[in-house]
Short mmCIF file of all heavy atoms in Angstrom, two decimals:
data_model
loop_
_atom_site.label_atom_id
_atom_site.label_comp_id
_atom_site.label_asym_id
_atom_site.label_seq_id
_atom_site.Cartn_x
_atom_site.Cartn_y
_atom_site.Cartn_z
N MET E 1 -47.42 123.01 -22.93
CA MET E 1 -46.72 124.13 -23.50
C MET E 1 -47.62 125.14 -24.05
O MET E 1 -48.87 124.99 -24.07
CB MET E 1 -45.65 123.63 -24.51
CG MET E 1 -44.57 122.75 -23.83
SD MET E 1 -43.62 123.49 -22.62
CE MET E 1 -42.31 122.25 -22.48
N SER E 2 -47.05 126.14 -24.65
CA SER E 2 -47.87 127.36 -25.18
C SER E 2 -48.48 126.84 -26.61
O SER E 2 -47.96 125.92 -27.24
CB SER E 2 -47.10 128.52 -25.44
OG SER E 2 -45.96 128.19 -26.17
N ASN E 3 -49.53 127.50 -26.93
CA ASN E 3 -50.19 127.15 -28.18
C ASN E 3 -49.41 127.86 -29.32
O ASN E 3 -49.46 129.06 -29.48
CB ASN E 3 -51.59 127.59 -28.04
CG ASN E 3 -52.50 126.65 -28.72
OD1 ASN E 3 -52.07 125.58 -29.15
ND2 ASN E 3 -53.87 126.82 -28.80
N THR E 4 -48.81 127.03 -30.17
CA THR E 4 -48.20 127.56 -31.25
C THR E 4 -49.11 127.57 -32.48
O THR E 4 -49.31 126.50 -33.07
CB THR E 4 -46.94 126.82 -31.61
OG1 THR E 4 -47.16 125.46 -31.62
CG2 THR E 4 -45.81 127.09 -30.55
N ALA E 5 -49.64 128.68 -32.85
CA ALA E 5 -50.55 128.80 -33.96
C ALA E 5 -49.82 128.51 -35.29
O ALA E 5 -49.97 127.49 -35.96
CB ALA E 5 -51.24 130.06 -33.97
N GLU E 6 -48.99 129.51 -35.57
CA GLU E 6 -48.20 129.35 -36.77
C GLU E 6 -46.75 129.64 -36.64
O GLU E 6 -46.26 130.72 -36.35
CB GLU E 6 -48.69 130.29 -37.90
CG GLU E 6 -49.94 129.82 -38.62
CD GLU E 6 -50.38 130.76 -39.69
OE1 GLU E 6 -49.73 130.86 -40.69
OE2 GLU E 6 -51.36 131.58 -39.48
N SER E 7 -45.95 128.46 -36.52
CA SER E 7 -44.57 128.73 -36.25
C SER E 7 -43.87 128.11 -37.54
O SER E 7 -43.58 126.84 -37.58
CB SER E 7 -44.14 127.96 -35.03
OG SER E 7 -44.61 126.59 -35.16
N PRO E 8 -43.56 128.86 -38.53
CA PRO E 8 -42.98 128.39 -39.70
C PRO E 8 -41.48 127.88 -39.42
O PRO E 8 -40.61 128.71 -39.14
CB PRO E 8 -42.88 129.61 -40.57
CG PRO E 8 -43.00 130.86 -39.64
CD PRO E 8 -43.74 130.33 -38.44
N GLU E 9 -41.29 126.62 -39.44
CA GLU E 9 -39.98 126.07 -39.28
C GLU E 9 -39.12 126.22 -40.55
O GLU E 9 -39.70 126.30 -41.66
CB GLU E 9 -40.14 124.57 -38.93
CG GLU E 9 -40.80 124.40 -37.55
CD GLU E 9 -40.74 122.90 -37.22
OE1 GLU E 9 -39.67 122.46 -36.81
OE2 GLU E 9 -41.77 122.28 -37.25
N HIS E 10 -37.91 126.35 -40.24
CA HIS E 10 -36.97 126.45 -41.40
C HIS E 10 -35.96 125.24 -41.48
O HIS E 10 -35.57 124.84 -40.44
CB HIS E 10 -36.25 127.66 -41.40
CG HIS E 10 -37.08 128.88 -41.62
ND1 HIS E 10 -37.97 129.54 -40.87
CD2 HIS E 10 -37.17 129.57 -42.87
CE1 HIS E 10 -38.56 130.51 -41.43
NE2 HIS E 10 -38.09 130.53 -42.71
N CYS E 11 -35.70 124.80 -42.61
CA CYS E 11 -34.81 123.74 -42.83
C CYS E 11 -33.46 124.10 -42.19
O CYS E 11 -32.94 125.12 -42.49
CB CYS E 11 -34.65 123.43 -44.31
SG CYS E 11 -33.55 122.13 -44.68
N PRO E 12 -32.92 123.22 -41.29
CA PRO E 12 -31.69 123.46 -40.57
C PRO E 12 -30.46 123.37 -41.64
O PRO E 12 -29.42 123.82 -41.25
CB PRO E 12 -31.60 122.32 -39.65
CG PRO E 12 -32.52 121.31 -40.03
CD PRO E 12 -33.57 121.93 -40.89
N LEU E 13 -30.71 122.87 -42.78
CA LEU E 13 -29.66 122.71 -43.77
C LEU E 13 -29.51 123.84 -44.70
O LEU E 13 -28.35 124.39 -44.96
CB LEU E 13 -29.77 121.35 -44.58
CG LEU E 13 -29.61 120.12 -43.65
CD1 LEU E 13 -29.67 118.89 -44.54
CD2 LEU E 13 -28.30 120.12 -42.79
N CYS E 14 -30.64 124.27 -45.29
CA CYS E 14 -30.64 125.29 -46.23
C CYS E 14 -31.47 126.48 -45.95
O CYS E 14 -31.54 127.48 -46.63
CB CYS E 14 -31.05 124.72 -47.62
SG CYS E 14 -32.66 124.24 -47.66
N ASP E 15 -32.09 126.44 -44.74
CA ASP E 15 -32.79 127.58 -44.20
C ASP E 15 -34.13 127.95 -45.01
O ASP E 15 -34.62 129.03 -44.95
CB ASP E 15 -31.90 128.86 -44.03
CG ASP E 15 -32.34 129.73 -42.95
OD1 ASP E 15 -32.85 129.14 -41.91
OD2 ASP E 15 -32.28 130.94 -43.01
N LYS E 16 -34.52 127.08 -45.78
CA LYS E 16 -35.79 127.22 -46.56
C LYS E 16 -36.94 126.86 -45.68
O LYS E 16 -36.70 126.18 -44.73
CB LYS E 16 -35.82 126.50 -47.83
CG LYS E 16 -34.88 126.92 -48.96
CD LYS E 16 -34.94 126.06 -50.14
CE LYS E 16 -33.95 126.48 -51.18
NZ LYS E 16 -33.98 125.56 -52.43
N PRO E 17 -38.14 127.32 -46.04
CA PRO E 17 -39.30 127.02 -45.17
C PRO E 17 -39.55 125.47 -45.27
O PRO E 17 -39.41 124.90 -46.29
CB PRO E 17 -40.51 127.69 -45.88
CG PRO E 17 -39.80 128.53 -46.95
CD PRO E 17 -38.33 128.38 -46.97
N ALA E 18 -39.71 124.93 -44.17
CA ALA E 18 -39.90 123.45 -44.02
C ALA E 18 -41.13 123.00 -44.66
O ALA E 18 -42.13 123.68 -44.59
CB ALA E 18 -39.80 123.04 -42.59
N ALA E 19 -41.16 121.76 -45.18
CA ALA E 19 -42.36 121.24 -45.77
C ALA E 19 -42.90 120.33 -44.76
O ALA E 19 -42.23 119.61 -44.07
CB ALA E 19 -42.03 120.43 -46.99
N PRO E 20 -44.23 120.35 -44.55
CA PRO E 20 -44.94 119.48 -43.59
C PRO E 20 -44.63 118.00 -43.69
O PRO E 20 -44.44 117.31 -42.70
CB PRO E 20 -46.37 119.74 -43.80
CG PRO E 20 -46.49 121.11 -44.50
CD PRO E 20 -45.19 121.11 -45.31
N ALA E 21 -44.40 117.54 -44.86
CA ALA E 21 -44.15 116.21 -45.13
C ALA E 21 -42.83 115.82 -44.78
O ALA E 21 -42.51 114.63 -44.53
CB ALA E 21 -44.41 115.80 -46.57
N HIS E 22 -41.96 116.80 -44.68
CA HIS E 22 -40.50 116.47 -44.50
C HIS E 22 -40.01 117.35 -43.19
O HIS E 22 -38.81 117.49 -43.09
CB HIS E 22 -39.55 116.71 -45.64
CG HIS E 22 -40.04 116.04 -46.89
ND1 HIS E 22 -39.93 114.66 -47.03
CD2 HIS E 22 -40.74 116.45 -48.04
CE1 HIS E 22 -40.48 114.27 -48.17
NE2 HIS E 22 -40.99 115.32 -48.78
N ALA E 23 -40.92 117.80 -42.41
CA ALA E 23 -40.43 118.64 -41.29
C ALA E 23 -39.42 117.88 -40.46
O ALA E 23 -39.53 116.73 -40.25
CB ALA E 23 -41.68 119.02 -40.46
N PRO E 24 -38.46 118.62 -39.98
CA PRO E 24 -38.27 120.10 -40.13
C PRO E 24 -37.51 120.48 -41.34
O PRO E 24 -37.02 121.73 -41.33
CB PRO E 24 -37.58 120.53 -38.84
CG PRO E 24 -36.58 119.24 -38.50
CD PRO E 24 -37.40 118.09 -39.11
N PHE E 25 -37.47 119.64 -42.28
CA PHE E 25 -36.71 119.92 -43.41
C PHE E 25 -37.56 120.45 -44.51
O PHE E 25 -38.80 120.25 -44.50
CB PHE E 25 -35.93 118.71 -43.89
CG PHE E 25 -35.01 118.08 -42.86
CD1 PHE E 25 -35.43 117.09 -42.07
CD2 PHE E 25 -33.87 118.66 -42.56
CE1 PHE E 25 -34.67 116.47 -41.03
CE2 PHE E 25 -32.97 118.17 -41.51
CZ PHE E 25 -33.39 117.03 -40.80
N CYS E 26 -36.99 121.03 -45.62
CA CYS E 26 -37.67 121.67 -46.66
C CYS E 26 -38.03 120.51 -47.70
O CYS E 26 -39.02 120.76 -48.45
CB CYS E 26 -36.90 122.69 -47.29
SG CYS E 26 -35.47 122.16 -48.19
N SER E 27 -37.28 119.58 -47.82
CA SER E 27 -37.50 118.57 -48.85
C SER E 27 -36.89 117.29 -48.42
O SER E 27 -36.10 117.13 -47.39
CB SER E 27 -36.98 119.08 -50.07
OG SER E 27 -35.55 119.13 -50.05
N ARG E 28 -37.25 116.21 -49.18
CA ARG E 28 -36.64 114.82 -48.87
C ARG E 28 -35.12 114.86 -49.14
O ARG E 28 -34.42 114.24 -48.48
CB ARG E 28 -37.29 113.90 -49.78
CG ARG E 28 -37.01 112.51 -49.35
CD ARG E 28 -37.60 111.54 -50.37
NE ARG E 28 -37.00 110.12 -50.01
CZ ARG E 28 -37.02 109.15 -50.98
NH1 ARG E 28 -37.56 109.38 -52.18
NH2 ARG E 28 -36.55 108.04 -50.72
N LEU E 29 -34.68 115.76 -49.90
CA LEU E 29 -33.26 115.87 -50.26
C LEU E 29 -32.47 116.24 -48.97
O LEU E 29 -31.50 115.62 -48.60
CB LEU E 29 -32.98 116.86 -51.32
CG LEU E 29 -31.59 116.85 -51.89
CD1 LEU E 29 -31.51 115.74 -52.90
CD2 LEU E 29 -31.32 118.15 -52.55
N CYS E 30 -32.95 117.22 -48.34
CA CYS E 30 -32.35 117.76 -47.10
C CYS E 30 -32.54 116.71 -45.98
O CYS E 30 -31.59 116.52 -45.22
CB CYS E 30 -32.86 119.16 -46.68
SG CYS E 30 -32.17 120.46 -47.72
N GLN E 31 -33.66 116.20 -46.01
CA GLN E 31 -33.86 115.19 -44.99
C GLN E 31 -32.99 113.99 -45.07
O GLN E 31 -32.33 113.51 -44.10
CB GLN E 31 -35.39 114.67 -45.07
CG GLN E 31 -35.91 113.87 -43.85
CD GLN E 31 -37.25 113.43 -43.95
OE1 GLN E 31 -37.81 113.35 -45.08
NE2 GLN E 31 -37.86 113.17 -42.95
N ASP E 32 -32.65 113.56 -46.22
CA ASP E 32 -31.84 112.53 -46.65
C ASP E 32 -30.38 112.90 -46.28
O ASP E 32 -29.53 112.11 -45.70
CB ASP E 32 -31.96 112.00 -47.98
CG ASP E 32 -31.30 110.67 -48.22
OD1 ASP E 32 -31.72 109.67 -47.52
OD2 ASP E 32 -30.44 110.70 -49.03
N ARG E 33 -30.05 114.19 -46.66
CA ARG E 33 -28.72 114.63 -46.39
C ARG E 33 -28.42 114.63 -44.91
O ARG E 33 -27.32 114.28 -44.45
CB ARG E 33 -28.61 116.04 -47.00
CG ARG E 33 -27.17 116.28 -47.47
CD ARG E 33 -26.86 117.66 -47.51
NE ARG E 33 -27.74 118.45 -48.29
CZ ARG E 33 -27.57 119.79 -48.61
NH1 ARG E 33 -26.48 120.41 -48.03
NH2 ARG E 33 -28.45 120.41 -49.26
N ASP E 34 -29.36 115.14 -44.16
CA ASP E 34 -29.09 115.25 -42.66
C ASP E 34 -28.98 113.84 -42.08
O ASP E 34 -28.14 113.66 -41.29
CB ASP E 34 -30.34 115.98 -42.06
CG ASP E 34 -30.07 116.22 -40.64
OD1 ASP E 34 -29.27 117.11 -40.25
OD2 ASP E 34 -30.62 115.39 -39.79
N LEU E 35 -29.76 112.96 -42.60
CA LEU E 35 -29.65 111.57 -42.07
C LEU E 35 -28.35 110.96 -42.36
O LEU E 35 -27.76 110.26 -41.45
CB LEU E 35 -30.81 110.76 -42.73
CG LEU E 35 -30.90 109.36 -42.15
CD1 LEU E 35 -31.35 109.30 -40.71
CD2 LEU E 35 -31.85 108.44 -43.07
N ARG E 36 -27.82 111.22 -43.53
CA ARG E 36 -26.56 110.66 -43.89
C ARG E 36 -25.50 111.31 -43.11
O ARG E 36 -24.50 110.65 -42.67
CB ARG E 36 -26.28 110.86 -45.44
CG ARG E 36 -27.08 109.77 -46.25
CD ARG E 36 -27.17 110.13 -47.75
NE ARG E 36 -25.78 110.17 -48.31
CZ ARG E 36 -25.63 110.44 -49.57
NH1 ARG E 36 -26.57 110.90 -50.27
NH2 ARG E 36 -24.43 110.45 -50.11
N ASN E 37 -25.65 112.63 -42.92
CA ASN E 37 -24.57 113.32 -42.09
C ASN E 37 -24.53 112.75 -40.74
O ASN E 37 -23.57 112.48 -40.09
CB ASN E 37 -25.01 114.66 -42.01
CG ASN E 37 -24.28 115.66 -42.93
OD1 ASN E 37 -23.27 115.28 -43.40
ND2 ASN E 37 -24.83 116.75 -43.29
N TRP E 38 -25.74 112.39 -40.16
CA TRP E 38 -25.86 111.90 -38.80
C TRP E 38 -25.27 110.54 -38.71
O TRP E 38 -24.49 110.19 -37.82
CB TRP E 38 -27.33 111.89 -38.47
CG TRP E 38 -27.57 111.68 -37.01
CD1 TRP E 38 -27.62 112.70 -36.11
CD2 TRP E 38 -27.86 110.59 -36.24
NE1 TRP E 38 -27.90 112.27 -34.82
CE2 TRP E 38 -28.07 110.87 -34.91
CE3 TRP E 38 -28.01 109.13 -36.62
CZ2 TRP E 38 -28.23 109.97 -33.98
CZ3 TRP E 38 -28.32 108.23 -35.67
CH2 TRP E 38 -28.43 108.62 -34.31
N LEU E 39 -25.65 109.75 -39.82
CA LEU E 39 -25.09 108.35 -39.75
C LEU E 39 -23.51 108.33 -39.85
O LEU E 39 -22.84 107.58 -39.28
CB LEU E 39 -25.73 107.55 -40.90
CG LEU E 39 -27.14 107.16 -40.66
CD1 LEU E 39 -27.60 106.53 -41.95
CD2 LEU E 39 -27.34 106.21 -39.50
N ASN E 40 -23.01 109.27 -40.70
CA ASN E 40 -21.61 109.40 -40.90
C ASN E 40 -20.90 109.72 -39.60
O ASN E 40 -19.86 109.11 -39.23
CB ASN E 40 -21.30 110.38 -41.93
CG ASN E 40 -21.46 109.92 -43.37
OD1 ASN E 40 -21.39 108.70 -43.55
ND2 ASN E 40 -21.70 110.68 -44.35
N GLU E 41 -21.49 110.63 -38.83
CA GLU E 41 -20.87 111.03 -37.61
C GLU E 41 -20.95 109.80 -36.62
O GLU E 41 -20.13 109.62 -35.75
CB GLU E 41 -21.54 112.23 -37.12
CG GLU E 41 -21.10 113.53 -37.81
CD GLU E 41 -21.51 114.72 -37.08
OE1 GLU E 41 -21.75 114.67 -35.93
OE2 GLU E 41 -21.58 115.75 -37.74
N GLY E 42 -22.03 109.06 -36.71
CA GLY E 42 -22.24 107.93 -35.83
C GLY E 42 -21.19 106.78 -36.11
O GLY E 42 -20.73 106.26 -35.18
N TYR E 43 -20.92 106.62 -37.34
CA TYR E 43 -20.00 105.59 -37.72
C TYR E 43 -18.51 106.05 -37.38
O TYR E 43 -17.65 105.21 -37.05
CB TYR E 43 -20.04 105.21 -39.14
CG TYR E 43 -21.25 104.41 -39.51
CD1 TYR E 43 -22.08 104.74 -40.62
CD2 TYR E 43 -21.67 103.46 -38.72
CE1 TYR E 43 -23.15 104.14 -40.97
CE2 TYR E 43 -22.79 102.63 -38.98
CZ TYR E 43 -23.55 102.99 -40.13
OH TYR E 43 -24.70 102.31 -40.42
N ARG E 44 -18.35 107.34 -37.44
CA ARG E 44 -16.93 107.81 -37.18
C ARG E 44 -16.65 107.79 -35.69
O ARG E 44 -17.39 108.30 -34.90
CB ARG E 44 -16.95 109.29 -37.65
CG ARG E 44 -15.54 109.69 -37.83
CD ARG E 44 -15.51 111.24 -38.00
NE ARG E 44 -14.63 111.66 -39.12
CZ ARG E 44 -14.59 112.86 -39.64
NH1 ARG E 44 -15.40 113.81 -39.20
NH2 ARG E 44 -13.78 113.18 -40.50
N VAL E 45 -15.73 107.01 -35.39
CA VAL E 45 -15.30 106.85 -33.99
C VAL E 45 -14.08 107.78 -33.70
O VAL E 45 -13.00 107.61 -34.30
CB VAL E 45 -14.86 105.43 -33.63
CG1 VAL E 45 -14.43 105.24 -32.23
CG2 VAL E 45 -15.95 104.45 -33.97
N PRO E 46 -14.31 108.79 -32.89
CA PRO E 46 -13.24 109.73 -32.51
C PRO E 46 -12.23 109.04 -31.57
O PRO E 46 -12.53 108.24 -30.88
CB PRO E 46 -14.03 110.87 -31.82
CG PRO E 46 -15.27 110.23 -31.21
CD PRO E 46 -15.64 109.06 -32.12
N GLY E 47 -11.04 109.60 -31.64
CA GLY E 47 -10.00 109.08 -30.81
C GLY E 47 -9.00 108.32 -31.64
O GLY E 47 -9.21 108.00 -32.76
N PRO E 48 -7.91 107.86 -31.02
CA PRO E 48 -6.93 107.08 -31.63
C PRO E 48 -7.42 105.67 -31.87
O PRO E 48 -8.25 105.17 -31.13
CB PRO E 48 -5.73 107.08 -30.53
CG PRO E 48 -6.42 107.31 -29.27
CD PRO E 48 -7.64 108.19 -29.61
N PRO E 49 -6.92 105.08 -32.96
CA PRO E 49 -7.39 103.69 -33.29
C PRO E 49 -6.94 102.65 -32.29
O PRO E 49 -7.62 101.67 -32.06
CB PRO E 49 -6.76 103.38 -34.65
CG PRO E 49 -5.53 104.33 -34.74
CD PRO E 49 -5.95 105.65 -33.86
N GLN E 50 -5.83 102.90 -31.75
CA GLN E 50 -5.34 101.91 -30.61
C GLN E 50 -5.23 102.65 -29.28
O GLN E 50 -4.59 103.57 -29.09
CB GLN E 50 -3.96 101.44 -31.06
CG GLN E 50 -4.03 100.46 -32.21
CD GLN E 50 -2.66 99.80 -32.50
OE1 GLN E 50 -1.60 100.35 -32.06
NE2 GLN E 50 -2.62 98.71 -33.16
N ASP E 51 -6.12 102.16 -28.40
CA ASP E 51 -6.08 102.74 -27.09
C ASP E 51 -5.69 101.54 -26.03
O ASP E 51 -6.51 100.79 -25.62
CB ASP E 51 -7.47 103.27 -26.82
CG ASP E 51 -7.54 104.10 -25.55
OD1 ASP E 51 -6.41 104.70 -25.25
OD2 ASP E 51 -8.54 104.13 -24.91
N THR E 52 -4.46 101.64 -25.79
CA THR E 52 -4.03 100.65 -24.74
C THR E 52 -4.01 101.22 -23.30
O THR E 52 -3.51 102.39 -23.17
CB THR E 52 -2.50 100.19 -25.18
OG1 THR E 52 -1.74 101.34 -25.45
CG2 THR E 52 -2.50 99.24 -26.39
N LEU E 53 -4.40 100.46 -22.43
CA LEU E 53 -4.47 100.95 -21.13
C LEU E 53 -3.09 100.97 -20.50
O LEU E 53 -2.59 101.95 -19.77
CB LEU E 53 -5.26 100.01 -20.20
CG LEU E 53 -6.74 99.87 -20.57
CD1 LEU E 53 -7.49 98.80 -19.81
CD2 LEU E 53 -7.38 101.27 -20.27
N GLU E 54 -2.28 100.00 -20.80
CA GLU E 54 -0.84 100.00 -20.29
C GLU E 54 0.12 99.92 -21.47
O GLU E 54 -0.09 99.14 -22.36
CB GLU E 54 -0.66 98.88 -19.29
CG GLU E 54 -1.39 99.10 -18.06
CD GLU E 54 -1.19 97.96 -16.98
OE1 GLU E 54 -0.08 97.36 -17.08
OE2 GLU E 54 -2.04 97.66 -16.28
N ASP E 55 1.15 100.64 -21.35
CA ASP E 55 2.18 100.58 -22.40
C ASP E 55 3.24 99.59 -22.09
O ASP E 55 4.02 99.74 -21.05
CB ASP E 55 2.74 101.95 -22.58
CG ASP E 55 3.47 102.15 -23.91
OD1 ASP E 55 2.99 101.56 -24.88
OD2 ASP E 55 4.60 102.76 -23.95
N PRO E 56 3.35 98.46 -22.79
CA PRO E 56 4.31 97.39 -22.46
C PRO E 56 5.72 97.85 -22.77
O PRO E 56 6.65 97.29 -22.13
CB PRO E 56 3.89 96.27 -23.45
CG PRO E 56 3.18 96.93 -24.56
CD PRO E 56 2.54 98.23 -24.02
N SER E 57 5.87 98.76 -23.64
CA SER E 57 7.33 99.21 -23.96
C SER E 57 7.69 100.42 -23.23
O SER E 57 8.30 101.38 -23.72
CB SER E 57 7.51 99.38 -25.43
OG SER E 57 6.62 100.47 -25.89
N ALA E 58 7.23 100.64 -21.98
CA ALA E 58 7.43 101.78 -21.23
C ALA E 58 8.83 101.65 -20.51
O ALA E 58 9.12 100.68 -19.89
CB ALA E 58 6.36 102.09 -20.17
ZN1 ZN R 1 -33.52 122.25 -47.04
#
């Protein structure tokens, strides 16, 4: 790819300049927050709780 000399990344959560130690986030706080967000969405199962292929009371 192209040579990126200086590409200041910004925290996707608060849009602050990212810290190298926590890239692409600005701090561990945002890094942790994003991780928790991601996990929460992962645990969250979309759709109805009961998904029956055939309806017996049809
Ligand atoms: Zn941030």
Side-chain angles (χ1 to χ4, degrees):
M1 295 297 189
S2 56
N3 221 359
T4 47
E6 280 185 73
S7 53
E9 292 186 73
H10 284 81
C11 179
L13 292 185
C14 64
D15 210 37
K16 284 180 185 174
H22 305 287
F25 304 99
C26 68
S27 63
R28 193 186 165 195
L29 193 79
C30 281
Q31 193 177 22
D32 194 57
R33 211 208 299 188
D34 184 78
L35 183 69
R36 280 164 69 181
N37 264 337
W38 197 83
L39 287 176
N40 279 336
E41 283 193 22
Y43 287 134
R44 199 191 221 169
V45 181
Q50 286 186 340
D51 190 27
T52 48
L53 293 173
E54 292 181 29
D55 198 34
S57 61

